[in-house]
Amino acid sequence: MPATSANDAPVIQIRDVTKIYEMGDGTIQVRALDGVSLDISDGEYVAIMGASGSGKSTLMNIIGCLDVPTQGTYQIDGQAVESMSNDRLADIRSRKVGFVFQTHNLLPRLTALANVELPMMYGHWPNRRQRAENALELVNLADRMDHRPTELSGGQQQRVGIARALVKEPSVLLADEPTGNLDTSNTAEILNIISDLNHQNGITVIVVTHEQDVAARADRVITLSDGHIIADEPNGARSADESSPFGGERGRERAKRDRRGMRVEPRGKVDAGDIQGSATVAVGDHRSD
Amino acid sequence: MSPLDIIRTSLYSLSSNRLRAALALLGIVLGVCSVITLMSIGRGSTDRITELIQGLGSNLLTVVPTGAPLTLADVDALGDPLYTPSIKAVAPQIGTFGTIHINNNTTQAPVNGVTPEFLQVRNLEMATGTFIGAPHVESRAEVVVLGSQISEDLFGNQDPTNAEVRINGRRFRVVGVLASQTGFGSMDDQALIPITTAYYRLSGQRIPGGNISVEQISVQASDVDSVDQAIEEIETVLRLSHRLTDADDFTVFNQQEILDTFEETNQTLVVFLGAVAGISLLVGGIGIMNIMLVSVTERTREIGIRQAMGAKRRDIVAQFVTEAVFLTFGGGIIGVVAGITLATVIDGRFLIGAEWNTRVTNDIPLIALIVSVAVGLFFGIYPAVRAARLNPIEALRYE
Ligand SMILES: Nc1ncnc2c1ncn2[C@@H]1O[C@H](COP(=O)(O)OP(=O)(O)OP(=O)(O)O)[C@@H](O)[C@H]1O
Ligand SMILES: [Mg+2]
């Protein structure tokens, strides 16, 4: 980490990132991203919008370390991704970032619980089962733990996907059109969960969406077009929102301070006034390895 | 990923496509089964041949004439410890073929003229009665010792001692019956009479000089280690007594040499059978690779998800190699059980016109299991590496 204060250093620091897809024998080149620079700070809630094919998913995949830029630099938590080995990238995927896909991408033959345990298996985490259960409770699926994806509704599958992403207490939660396949009530529920994670646990959230009301939850909206950022502005409506008990800057600041002691707990049990309350089971930074 | 997780994940993946796993397994089962069966047949037949030849005693030498006849004079010379200190006993033999007859029972059998030493030299034992003695030879007595099979053919379960049989019309008194003995040189279906009786009373040939010619001379060396010495002594004595200057007119066969030749031939057979079985195991291995490659393609998306969840390349490799090894190891175990069962079932049976002898030594299943695991590793690595090399994004997008 740079010498500057932890709160000021961006979690995500992208400089002049270009992603070129080559097709055929290299004759056709697609510039999916073209000189994108972007900083995202710890605890931010960012929405990425833009027309289809504008490069949103490409950017998300690079942020999530699923893909590497063709040119430019990308640092996550101060670590340069370009110079990382495959194994280091896998490490980042298993620890730092939680990815929620548009199509949930659950393993069809595993139960919800086993799916949620998966990233912890690759990250050598202790107490996997307990954590996975907590995460599923958090997304209100305590009674569906032993169901397989095919035995769950679309919204439930997506919630399993979220539980799988948040169970490793990531610094950054990435969601690429998490509600693209869902109806309004399911969308609202998913968005509530994501907002709570941002507000209560201070997780940095980046959501790709086509829908205005999804973007409205974020405090910053970035618009992409043809691989360029054409707009990057705070979400006025969102910043003014003080109606939520955890909303506004104060709630987020507090959550950010408490990141180290973050708890994966059922939503209902979290006491907003005392996040470090002794009644909750801490599942913070106890990664083995 | 911990070893336990790897094992659990692999078993889980295998159990989710059981039919395919079973089919992939089948190739290995057949391969291992045939390796075990063929190798145990090879071992069994080596044992059998060794047993047959060793029934004669490995210090047995056989001298046969290849020019001038061998005579009883030669036998006496060979029996003289002064010239042949490495020789324990010498037994000449004349073979004729006779019709043996009692009451209404008749049987055709080789009738051998022998001396008392024959019993010892050929490792024979008496079931009842006595063997041919020196006085019998001297007096050209018309006495006969029957092989156990002939005795049974002519007398059933009765003791034939002192019974009278006719051999080629002449009366012979049965003095004893040999104990049954399997193997090369078994006398079960032959009859033995004094060598003089055979020469003067049954055989028509005579040689000049009034000496008795013999067909072959069995020589017993004092022990296994003195076989070579004994051969030299035989050659020296016979060359002197035959006044040879150049080529020998006799040949000495060494039992141990015959045994070695047989074992060598059989070893070649075992290796050949093993190779044939090995090829079927190889084919099974290619089947495993094929299945694993299909499985990798089919599970591209799963691989992408695992990679997105933080699986390292080595985690993916470990998962797929472990799956392949489980398949081959499982197939190997079933194959070992099937192979041992098959080998046990055919042991000692007459099938397709031959007697099958098998022996499953401990090393056979062990080798088969190690080889099948090695096959899994070898043929599993390529598909696994292919899986691990997948780009997570492309894998996730795969339909
Ligand atoms: N693997 C690939 N090979 C070639 N071109 C690609 C590949 N992936 C993406 N592209 C191209 O890169 C551009 C950006 O794609 P991307 O998936 O990032 O768009 P998007 O903004 O997520 O669109 P959508 O809203 O439809 O999901 C598109 O023009 C697409 O055709
Ligand atoms: Mg997209």
Side-chain angles (χ1 to χ4, degrees):
Chain A
M1 288 284 263
T4 47
S5 140
N7 276 351
D8 297 345
V11 194
I12 307 285
Q13 193 180 65
I14 290 171
R15 289 287 174 275
D16 288 324
V17 158
T18 298
K19 179 71 192 181
I20 299 174
Y21 290 111
E22 296 199 338
M23 291 187 303
D25 43 11
T27 47
I28 309 167
Q29 291 193 338
V30 180
R31 274 181 182 263
L33 289 178
D34 194 359
V36 169
S37 294
L38 180 64
D39 280 357
I40 295 174
S41 311
D42 198 8
E44 268 193 292
Y45 190 153
V46 180
I48 299 180
M49 300 193 74
S52 180
S54 55
K56 304 182 296 291
S57 295
T58 306
L59 181 59
M60 288 294 264
N61 291 339
I62 287 175
I63 295 175
C65 293
L66 285 167
D67 212 347
V68 286
T70 315
Q71 286 157 29
T73 61
Y74 166 37
Q75 293 190 349
I76 181 164
D77 268 353
Q79 295 167 294
V81 168
E82 313 81 60
S83 56
M84 283 183 188
S85 65
N86 268 307
D87 280 2
R88 279 292 293 140
L89 287 176
D91 256 343
I92 300 258
R93 291 199 290 268
S94 77
R95 283 145 196 261
K96 281 207 166 17
V97 294
F99 221 109
V100 180
F101 303 90
Q102 176 173 5
T103 51
H104 50 78
N105 273 334
L106 300 174
L107 289 184
R109 295 186 298 263
L110 295 180
T111 61
L113 194 66
N115 264 293
V116 175
E117 278 191 44
L118 202 60
M120 295 189 284
M121 182 172 91
Y122 291 114
H124 297 275
W125 291 53
N127 304 329
R128 287 177 350 207
R129 198 189 166 85
Q130 184 60 47
R131 284 167 197 269
E133 282 173 2
N134 288 351
L136 281 168
E137 277 171 34
L138 199 67
V139 296
N140 288 333
L141 283 177
D143 52 346
R144 295 286 188 276
M145 294 194 190
D146 296 324
H147 288 232
R148 298 190 177 189
T150 47
E151 298 157 355
L152 294 169
S153 75
Q156 288 169 334
Q157 290 175 9
Q158 197 56 293
R159 277 186 276 155
V160 176
I162 292 174
R164 185 180 63 178
L166 67 86
V167 73
K168 51 191 166 183
E169 301 157 25
S171 316
V172 184
L173 183 76
L174 301 168
D176 192 349
E177 302 192 48
T179 58
N181 288 335
L182 302 179
D183 65 12
T184 37
S185 74
N186 269 315
T187 297
E189 187 167 3
I190 299 288
L191 290 178
N192 284 338
I193 294 170
I194 291 177
S195 294
D196 286 355
L197 285 169
N198 177 249
H199 296 145
Q200 294 173 16
N201 299 325
I203 295 179
T204 309
V205 173
I206 307 175
V207 178
V208 168
T209 183
H210 285 292
E211 295 156 82
Q212 280 302 332
D213 51 333
V214 175
R217 302 258 188 161
D219 22 58
R220 179 177 165 193
V221 178
I222 294 171
T223 313
L224 281 179
S225 173
D226 265 344
H228 300 275
I229 295 180
I230 55 164
D232 181 352
E233 47 206 16
N235 199 339
R238 181 65 189 76
S239 303
D241 176 18
E242 291 288 342
S243 60
S244 155
F246 317 116
E249 288 306 316
R250 278 181 56 224
R252 259 194 306 287
E253 283 308 315
R254 146 182 256 133
K256 237 196 280 184
R257 279 200 310 278
D258 293 334
R259 271 282 299 286
R260 289 271 136 208
M262 177 190 144
R263 265 129 209 155
V264 177
E265 275 299 308
R267 265 190 299 164
K269 280 196 213 160
V270 175
D271 178 354
D274 182 15
I275 290 176
Q276 289 182 324
S278 56
T280 55
V281 181
V283 288
D285 278 341
H286 300 303
R287 302 155 198 205
S288 66
D289 195 38
Chain B
M1 213 177 168
S2 72
L4 192 69
D5 286 329
I6 294 172
I7 290 171
R8 205 182 284 149
T9 304
S10 303
L11 282 183
Y12 193 82
S13 306
L14 287 175
S15 69
S16 61
N17 202 332
R18 279 178 206 172
L19 179 64
R20 179 189 296 168
L23 288 175
L25 215 75
L26 200 61
I28 298 294
V29 170
L30 292 178
V32 169
C33 180
S34 51
V35 164
I36 297 227
T37 313
L38 290 181
M39 280 183 77
S40 64
I41 288 174
R43 288 272 156 82
S45 59
T46 307
D47 283 5
R48 183 83 182 122
I49 290 170
T50 310
E51 185 188 311
L52 289 178
I53 294 174
Q54 275 177 348
L56 290 171
S58 48
N59 49 352
L60 181 70
L61 298 165
T62 308
V63 189
V64 295
T66 51
L70 292 169
T71 62
L72 279 187
D74 292 327
V75 174
D76 289 341
L78 289 174
D80 188 340
L82 200 62
Y83 304 115
T84 57
S86 307
I87 290 176
K88 194 161 153 197
V90 183
Q93 178 179 348
I94 297 177
T96 55
F97 204 77
T99 306
I100 309 174
H101 175 92
I102 176 165
N103 300 335
N104 297 324
N105 288 342
T106 302
T107 183
Q108 306 272 337
V111 177
N112 294 294
V114 298
T115 58
E117 290 79 17
F118 194 80
L119 188 70
Q120 179 200 345
V121 171
R122 297 294 290 267
N123 272 344
L124 298 173
E125 273 170 35
M126 301 303 297
T128 57
T130 56
F131 195 65
I132 292 158
H136 293 140
V137 176
E138 241 159 64
S139 62
R140 304 173 192 179
E142 290 171 323
V143 292
V144 62
V145 171
L146 299 177
S148 59
Q149 189 61 48
I150 294 190
S151 166
E152 203 183 311
D153 288 350
L154 295 177
F155 296 96
N157 290 330
Q158 286 171 342
D159 181 1
T161 313
N162 289 325
E164 281 207 339
V165 296
R166 283 178 182 271
I167 300 178
N168 291 357
R170 287 183 169 270
R171 287 165 188 272
F172 279 78
R173 187 169 57 89
V174 178
V175 290
V177 177
L178 293 169
S180 172
Q181 189 194 47
T182 53
F184 287 160
S186 162
M187 290 285 147
D188 286 4
D189 56 354
Q190 305 192 18
L192 304 176
I193 58 175
I195 191 165
T196 46
T197 317
Y199 188 74
Y200 292 112
R201 305 219 198 277
L202 288 186
S203 164
Q205 315 159 286
R206 296 285 185 275
I207 58 162
N211 219 329
I212 294 180
S213 67
V214 300
E215 256 167 22
Q216 69 172 51
I217 304 173
S218 300
V219 177
Q220 189 178 32
S222 337
D223 52 58
V224 179
D225 295 330
S226 55
V227 165
D228 290 340
Q229 184 63 36
I231 292 175
E232 264 176 42
E233 290 168 9
I234 293 169
E235 287 171 347
T236 311
V237 167
L238 291 182
R239 278 171 196 154
L240 276 175
S241 70
H242 289 194
R243 296 193 179 87
L244 295 178
T245 47
D246 48 350
D248 285 350
D249 57 1
F250 60 91
T251 305
V252 184
F253 289 104
N254 181 351
Q255 206 61 46
Q256 191 59 44
E257 262 170 25
I258 298 173
L259 185 65
D260 289 347
T261 316
F262 266 112
E263 276 184 349
E264 210 169 279
T265 320
N266 204 61
Q267 203 54 45
T268 317
L269 182 76
V270 170
V271 169
F272 176 74
L273 290 179
V276 168
I279 288 172
S280 65
L281 198 53
L282 201 71
V283 171
I286 294 172
I288 294 281
M289 177 145 91
N290 187 20
I291 295 277
M292 291 310 292
L293 281 174
V294 170
S295 170
V296 166
T297 309
E298 204 177 58
R299 285 152 63 191
T300 299
R301 203 181 170 84
E302 172 193 327
I303 295 162
I305 295 173
R306 290 185 184 275
Q307 287 175 324
M309 291 306 123
K312 297 184 170 71
R313 282 190 172 171
R314 61 164 177 271
D315 294 326
I316 304 287
V317 168
Q319 178 188 336
F320 281 87
V321 167
T322 308
E323 278 181 35
V325 169
F326 271 140
L327 279 178
T328 52
F329 187 69
I333 295 221
I334 300 174
V336 162
V337 172
I340 292 179
T341 311
L342 194 60
T344 315
V345 165
I346 63 176
D347 189 27
R349 277 177 206 269
F350 274 92
L351 298 166
I352 352 176
E355 186 183 354
W356 297 80
N357 292 287
T358 63
R359 183 165 61 105
V360 185
T361 48
N362 288 338
D363 58 332
I364 294 180
L366 199 70
I367 291 171
L369 276 186
I370 290 174
V371 168
S372 58
V373 167
V375 162
L377 275 176
F378 184 80
F379 289 103
I381 282 198
Y382 175 67
V385 167
R386 271 211 7 187
R389 286 255 170 85
L390 287 172
N391 173 307
I393 292 299
E394 281 164 24
L396 276 172
R397 210 173 273 154
Y398 185 87
E399 290 303 328

